Amino acid sequence: PEIDYFKGLIVRSGEPALDVGCGTGRLLIPFLRAGLDVDGCDISPDMLALCAQRAEAEGLRPQLFAQAMHQLSLPRCYRSIVVCGAFGIGGSLAQDQEALHRLFRHLAPGGAVFIDYYVPYKDADEWRYWVKEEGEKLPEPWPSSGQRKITRSGEEIELRIRLLALDPLEQVATRQMQAILWRGGQAVQQEEHTLLERLYFRNELLAMLAAAGFRDVEVRDGYTDNRASSRSGILVYIARKE
């Protein structure tokens, strides 16, 4: 649902638009298909290369930039900036605050940034690890199986994820990801990566947006036009530059 939702926000707020953390183009390519003027940026050159291949296959040629969010320095300003599933991933508190400053600088006057964010208590199973006694039981065991996808060559890639640690004082979750390549029913290659996720509550993020210069911030319930409530698990922040 986030693809059509953010597309509608771009239409209302205006173009050009920027998809921050665009990855392989999960949102960016549908935006381009709809005829929107949207650039993309991501920290991963590999993902951007795949995004460019997918776009070119459809006759699309977006401007793509390999930059971290907190180092954003692009040649033009935007009426709309989308950050979907990317804020708080892999950085420090200082980098996240700097990222909001950079987003503000890249907005044209009257423009808006749209950020979705899962509240830390959305997952009841994970929320229990904020309590000392439960947190000491980490890391979680690896799941017996994970999500699998079939490649063009007919091989399978399986992704398993577990919570390695959770620091409630620093509000940081450490996740471990295991990617397994299967060929003919045999695991032939495996990689493991660790990723930090900074955890923010609503009022913290509102304060960070205000410190970056944003005003008139709305907080919505997921991918709807409803105001967020205490029952909302996904928040969408709509922050404007006056």
Side-chain angles (χ1 to χ4, degrees), residues 81-138:
I81 298 179
V82 173
V83 186
C84 181
F87 189 77
I89 302 296
S92 66
L93 173 60
Q95 288 172 332
D96 286 348
Q97 184 65 72
E98 178 61 22
L100 295 178
H101 281 285
R102 298 279 177 139
L103 296 176
F104 184 83
R105 290 176 209 160
H106 282 79
L107 273 180
V113 63
F114 315 118
I115 303 173
D116 70 348
Y117 196 80
Y118 283 50
V119 292
Y121 46 83
K122 180 180 185 295
D123 184 337
D125 183 62
E126 192 165 297
W127 179 241
R128 65 190 174 95
Y129 290 120
W130 286 68
V131 178
K132 177 177 179 290
E133 291 75 15
E134 293 295 316
E136 289 175 347
K137 297 176 183 178
L138 291 172

Side-chain angles (χ1 to χ4, degrees), residues 41-60:
C41 72
D42 199 277
I43 196 172
S44 168
D46 289 341
M47 296 182 87
L48 289 175
L50 184 54
C51 180
Q53 291 174 19
R54 294 178 61 196
E56 188 174 352
E58 298 193 30
L60 305 168

Side-chain angles (χ1 to χ4, degrees), residues 6 20 33 36 60 65 109 112 121 125 130 132 166 170 174 176 184 205 210 219 227:
F6 284 120
V20 177
R33 268 194 222 117
L36 299 176
L60 305 168
F65 304 92
Y121 46 83
D125 183 62
W130 286 68
K132 177 177 179 290
L166 191 145
E170 292 295 330
T174 304
Q176 194 171 26
L205 202 39
V219 186
R227 291 181 61 181

Side-chain angles (χ1 to χ4, degrees), residues 33 39 53 76 91 110 149 166 183 197 200 242:
R33 268 194 222 117
D39 296 341
Q53 291 174 19
R76 64 172 175 168
K149 289 190 176 181
L166 191 145
R183 184 181 301 142
E197 179 185 356
Y200 297 108
E242 293 179 347

Side-chain angles (χ1 to χ4, degrees), residues 61-235:
R61 288 179 172 78
Q63 288 197 89
L64 300 175
F65 304 92
Q67 292 186 13
M69 202 182 309
H70 66 279
Q71 296 173 328
L72 205 61
S73 181
L74 303 181
R76 64 172 175 168
C77 288
Y78 301 90
R79 291 284 307 175
S80 304
I81 298 179
V82 173
V83 186
C84 181
F87 189 77
I89 302 296
S92 66
L93 173 60
Q95 288 172 332
D96 286 348
Q97 184 65 72
E98 178 61 22
L100 295 178
H101 281 285
R102 298 279 177 139
L103 296 176
F104 184 83
R105 290 176 209 160
H106 282 79
L107 273 180
V113 63
F114 315 118
I115 303 173
D116 70 348
Y117 196 80
Y118 283 50
V119 292
Y121 46 83
K122 180 180 185 295
D123 184 337
D125 183 62
E126 192 165 297
W127 179 241
R128 65 190 174 95
Y129 290 120
W130 286 68
V131 178
K132 177 177 179 290
E133 291 75 15
E134 293 295 316
E136 289 175 347
K137 297 176 183 178
L138 291 172
E140 292 179 323
W142 284 109
S144 57
S145 63
Q147 182 184 14
R148 291 198 182 199
K149 289 190 176 181
I150 299 176
T151 68
R152 291 178 181 175
S153 63
E155 299 172 326
E156 284 188 297
I157 296 177
E158 180 182 12
L159 181 64
R160 301 180 184 182
I161 303 174
R162 69 171 179 169
L163 184 62
L164 194 63
L166 191 145
D167 186 334
L169 186 62
E170 292 295 330
Q171 294 179 204
V172 173
T174 304
R175 305 189 188 281
Q176 194 171 26
M177 295 170 290
Q178 190 178 74
I180 306 169
L181 179 65
W182 293 87
R183 184 181 301 142
Q186 299 292 320
V188 296
Q189 190 175 342
Q190 179 174 310
E191 296 180 1
E192 287 185 5
H193 300 276
T194 301
L195 183 67
L196 300 182
E197 179 185 356
R198 306 207 71 86
L199 307 172
Y200 297 108
F201 295 89
R202 183 199 62 175
N203 290 346
E204 290 176 291
L205 202 39
L206 286 174
M208 292 170 70
L209 287 163
F214 289 99
R215 300 293 181 268
D216 187 24
V217 181
E218 293 180 55
V219 186
R220 294 186 178 177
D221 176 19
Y223 309 111
T224 73
D225 291 332
N226 300 326
R227 291 181 61 181
S229 73
S230 60
R231 301 300 180 191
S232 301
I234 303 173
L235 305 181

